[in-house]
Amino acid sequence: MSFVPMSSLLERARKDGYAIGAFNANNLEIVQGIVEAAEEMEAPVILQASQGAIKYAGLDYIVAMVRAAAEKVKVPVALHLDHGTSFEQAVQCIRAGFSSVMYDGSKLPLEENIAATLAVVKVARAVGVSVEAELGRIGGTEDDISVSDREATMTVPEEAQEFVARTGVDALAVAIGTAHGVYKGEPKLDFDRLKAIADLVDVPLVLHGASGVPDEAIKRAISLGICKVNIDTNLRQAFVAAIVRVLSEKPGEIDPRKLLGPAREALKQVVKEKISLFGSAGRA
Ligand code: 13P
């Protein structure tokens, strides 16, 4: 099956109260592990490419690998640009075959973010590609940040309402206390803020930085309107841990396939667990 627009997957998830896993992919084994897990779980799935992934693998390779994997399976697969940095990059990804792009203007003042996001939405809409945007800042780990600083970076519900109304984005990433990477302590999500945003905003919401967030918090966030959950760090951890394990058992191993095969299998198990947690199993 070829790539489906992300918005169709998210709108269904929103209506039926579950979330779609959006998993970051950088290489062949990661792509295969994610897509095979989704097929076995009969779950719709989003594969996403970050700036680092595009630099590492190249846009053409990413599209070709994900397309080859998607064509082998029955479940719907969307290919999404994660944290796109410019209008030009969004257009490059659309042209290369992505079915969804994120434009991340969250560093910009509100008016500039709206203008830049709107430009991407106009182009993407014309060719049936979905757009995710971000409001508020999803930072790195936040142990050194005081509460007021932490709140200052979070999404303001009324701004989210205005942003979505004026840009027409298909999905909005919200900052409610998660961060990318490994958490030092347990992340505290601002569920009241999430509820207030969901009450005012009529599009599916996206949770970034979901690796390391306790399962109960993820479930609660989904019940309050999160329809896309981004996972990267947990995949990297499982992938690398398997390589380390094989090498420690067999230090002389020189066949990359003997390292990357078990890594793909370990990653696949994590993807399956996440799909179960998000409630998207059997929804394909
Ligand atoms: P984690 O690395 O914390 O899973 O976050 C992934 C993410 O949000 C990608 O945009």
Side-chain angles (χ1 to χ4, degrees):
M1 194 188 249
S2 59
F3 304 141
V4 296
M6 187 173 79
S7 58
S8 63
L9 302 182
L10 297 188
E11 282 301 344
R12 245 193 82 201
R14 184 168 180 236
K15 191 163 80 41
D16 293 343
Y18 61 93
I20 311 277
F23 302 100
N24 286 73
N26 303 284
N27 70 11
L28 173 72
E29 287 78 9
I30 297 176
V31 168
Q32 289 175 328
I34 296 167
V35 174
E36 284 171 20
E39 177 77 345
E40 285 174 28
M41 300 294 283
E42 296 176 17
V45 72
I46 299 162
L47 280 84
Q48 50 188 17
S50 67
Q51 298 302 310
I54 291 169
K55 234 183 250 162
Y56 176 76
L59 209 52
D60 296 352
Y61 277 93
I62 288 173
V63 175
M65 287 189 296
V66 180
R67 199 185 295 285
E71 279 170 1
K72 281 191 180 314
V73 294
K74 294 193 199 70
V75 296
V77 176
L79 175 59
H80 174 71
L81 168 66
D82 190 24
H83 293 286
T85 51
S86 66
F87 175 81
E88 287 74 14
Q89 186 178 52
V91 173
Q92 283 161 6
C93 287
I94 292 169
R95 190 156 187 238
F98 283 54
S99 62
S100 176
V101 292
M102 175 180 188
Y103 173 73
D104 180 358
S106 61
K107 283 191 286 300
L108 302 171
L110 182 64
E111 284 300 324
E112 286 175 42
N113 189 359
I114 289 174
T117 303
L118 188 55
V120 174
V121 169
K122 278 190 181 160
V123 168
R125 178 109 337 130
V127 287
V129 167
S130 317
V131 179
E132 172 183 336
E134 178 175 326
L135 205 54
R137 300 299 313 280
I138 299 156
T141 46
E142 58 215 307
D143 283 1
D144 301 334
I145 300 177
S146 70
V147 171
S148 58
D149 282 349
R150 191 174 116 96
E151 284 185 348
T153 64
M154 288 199 187
T155 307
V156 176
E158 293 72 20
E159 283 184 6
Q161 182 181 32
E162 183 186 350
F163 184 89
V164 170
R166 288 178 58 193
T167 58
V169 288
D170 300 289
L172 183 70
V174 291
I176 55 164
T178 56
H180 297 111
V182 179
Y183 290 99
K184 287 189 195 134
E186 189 173 301
K188 298 262 173 297
L189 272 58
D190 187 341
F191 292 109
D192 293 341
R193 185 178 298 271
L194 175 57
K195 183 171 182 326
I197 298 167
D199 284 347
L200 292 176
V201 167
D202 204 24
V203 295
L205 301 176
V206 181
L207 188 68
H208 283 243
S211 295
V213 176
D215 288 0
E216 283 317 308
I218 296 273
K219 281 192 188 155
R220 191 160 166 211
I222 293 170
S223 77
L224 291 171
I226 293 292
C227 305
K228 171 176 180 265
V229 181
N230 286 11
I231 297 284
D232 185 6
T233 299
N234 282 162
L235 304 188
R236 298 176 184 214
Q237 288 167 325
F239 198 83
V240 173
I243 293 173
V244 170
R245 178 177 51 73
V246 176
L247 276 179
S248 69
E249 285 164 13
K250 203 170 171 215
E253 182 56 67
I254 58 117
D255 184 345
R257 294 167 299 188
K258 301 270 167 60
L259 306 175
L260 297 173
R264 176 175 57 196
E265 203 46 46
L267 176 141
K268 187 170 155 183
Q269 291 315 315
V270 174
V271 174
K272 285 177 146 186
E273 285 162 22
K274 299 293 180 190
I275 285 173
S276 248
L277 174 66
F278 303 158
S280 58
R283 309 278 190 168

